[in-house]
Amino acid sequence: MMRNIGSSDIAVAPLAFGGNVFGWTADEATSFSLLDHFVASGMNLIDTADVYSVWVPGHTGGESETIIGKWLKRSGKRDRVVIATKVGMEMAPDRKGLRKAYIQQAVEDSLRRLQTDYIDLYQSHSDDADTPLEETLGAYADLVRQGKVRIIGASNYSAARLEQALEVSRQHKLPMYQSLQPHYNLAERSEYESTLEPACLAHGIGVIPYYSLASGFLTGKYRSKEDLGKSVRGKGVSKYLDERGMRILAALDDVARDTRSTPAQVALAWLIAHPSITAPIASATSIAQLDELIGATRLQLDPAMIGRLTRASA
């Protein structure tokens, strides 16, 4: 069940908890109980970012890391989890990007909020075309040497930039990106499958996709325009309510019925079954939701079911 991230020795269960909800749609007490339950269920990868949740009125970023840090201190479970966080997205006009000086400042802020001495997986949250790759990777090399970061990853990189970064690492003997965090799910396939997946397979890079359930569309909760008001994420789902989207939901319903599972579990199991995928990211705000997500890690889809879903979403 455990999978290594890239060529590193860090092993994770095949589902990552998306920490964007901590301090946003899940308060501190709820977040603590979700994290306890996640670990008790045998899962261990917690994904967050320094910028979570700067988009909430009154927030300045770092809220998610702060809650995870309080939980780590209270629970004593630091050695049972793999903490993945990110740097680079705009926290404030003067706090963004992947320049060396900024990374050095940002990592100290993340370590302080997380109340830990080291980050297992530190990720470039988005490409910074204005900063030379050698500078960014050199900054990470310092952090790895200092024991503050174990391995590094990239998020929202194009295949071309990922290849470039790997080449710079090779040439200058710098740490290599061991993981990629792309936007990928049953409804969003073209960019990842056409360019990023071949690069990740060729270089043995672990893949930790975000929006694994297409903002909730793949749970089957949204089937009409009227359903979009059901949650704060409804707006992001309207683009899927077309003929192809209905085809995807029908296939998910069929496979869920045949496997006595749910559409969300089937959508995650489809991702988990891909040879290139290490662990999809999904979020929950209740124990019942979390149990449903964890159930996907025990769901084995046969080749015919995988084919049915792949054809429906073509």
Side-chain angles (χ1 to χ4, degrees):
M1 182 161 167
M2 303 298 274
R3 301 157 175 214
N4 284 40
I5 300 177
S7 58
S8 79
D9 60 358
I10 298 179
V12 294
L15 179 72
F17 197 123
N20 59 325
V21 295
F22 301 142
W24 174 31
T25 49
D27 63 18
E28 188 173 298
T30 304
S31 300
F32 282 13
S33 65
L34 289 166
L35 286 163
D36 283 334
H37 192 76
F38 186 69
V39 175
S41 303
M43 305 291 114
N44 67 336
L45 178 55
I46 300 164
D47 180 81
T48 185
D50 57 3
V51 77
Y52 299 163
S53 46
V54 80
W55 57 86
V56 178
H59 284 199
T60 54
E63 287 80 13
S64 171
E65 288 182 334
T66 299
I67 283 184
I68 294 168
K70 288 180 179 177
W71 172 77
L72 287 174
K73 184 156 194 192
R74 195 215 62 177
S75 69
K77 290 177 182 161
R78 179 66 185 93
D79 60 342
R80 292 183 58 189
V81 292
V82 172
I83 300 290
T85 192
K86 311 181 199 80
V87 59
M89 287 268 192
E90 185 169 334
M91 303 269 282
D94 59 338
R95 292 165 65 208
K96 61 180 177 183
L98 298 173
R99 298 208 76 90
K100 181 174 182 173
Y102 179 61
I103 289 174
Q104 288 171 331
Q105 173 203 331
V107 77
E108 296 301 336
D109 291 342
S110 286
L111 288 167
R112 187 186 71 253
R113 288 189 292 258
L114 289 163
Q115 301 194 48
T116 183
D117 300 329
Y118 66 95
I119 291 160
D120 297 289
L121 171 61
Y122 201 39
Q123 302 158 102
S124 299
H125 203 160
S126 62
D127 190 10
D128 176 3
D130 298 329
T131 301
L133 288 163
E134 294 94 311
E135 180 177 341
T136 298
L137 294 162
Y140 290 145
D142 291 344
L143 298 180
V144 172
R145 251 194 317 275
Q146 293 159 9
K148 292 175 181 175
V149 167
R150 291 177 69 191
I151 61 172
I152 59 168
S155 179
N156 300 303
Y157 269 50
S158 68
R161 280 290 276 180
L162 184 61
E163 295 270 9
Q164 235 182 317
L166 295 172
E167 188 51 41
V168 167
S169 294
R170 265 193 296 273
Q171 280 176 3
H172 299 276
K173 298 194 168 39
L174 296 168
M176 296 188 119
Y177 285 136
Q178 295 294 335
S179 66
L180 177 73
Q181 203 171 116
H183 184 182
Y184 181 51
N185 57 55
L186 200 50
E188 297 277 356
R189 292 176 49 192
S190 55
E191 190 192 355
Y192 175 71
E193 291 180 7
S194 61
T195 61
L196 290 165
E197 186 172 36
C200 290
L201 286 169
H203 299 288
I205 288 173
V207 180
I208 306 169
Y210 66 86
Y211 285 162
S212 300
L213 294 172
S215 298
F217 172 69
L218 298 175
T219 65
K221 186 162 96 170
Y222 307 97
R223 293 171 186 264
S224 67
K225 293 278 191 280
E226 292 72 53
D227 291 336
L228 298 179
K230 283 183 181 175
S231 85
V232 290
R233 304 171 80 188
K235 286 201 297 288
V237 174
S238 57
K239 62 184 173 186
Y240 300 124
L241 294 177
D242 57 13
E243 190 187 336
R244 175 174 173 261
M246 293 305 113
R247 224 174 33 237
I248 292 170
L249 291 183
L252 285 170
D253 289 340
D254 286 347
V255 176
R257 193 174 51 246
D258 292 348
T259 54
R260 294 204 174 104
S261 62
T262 67
Q265 289 173 328
V266 172
L268 288 172
W270 179 85
L271 280 172
I272 291 168
H274 275 62
S276 65
I277 301 296
T278 307
I281 300 169
S283 303
T285 53
S286 70
I287 298 293
Q289 277 179 0
L290 184 54
D291 275 333
E292 181 183 2
L293 301 177
I294 291 167
T297 66
R298 299 186 282 270
L299 178 59
Q300 293 285 316
L301 301 180
D302 65 32
M305 291 169 177
I306 292 169
R308 197 187 315 178
L309 294 162
T310 303
R311 285 190 301 277
S313 61

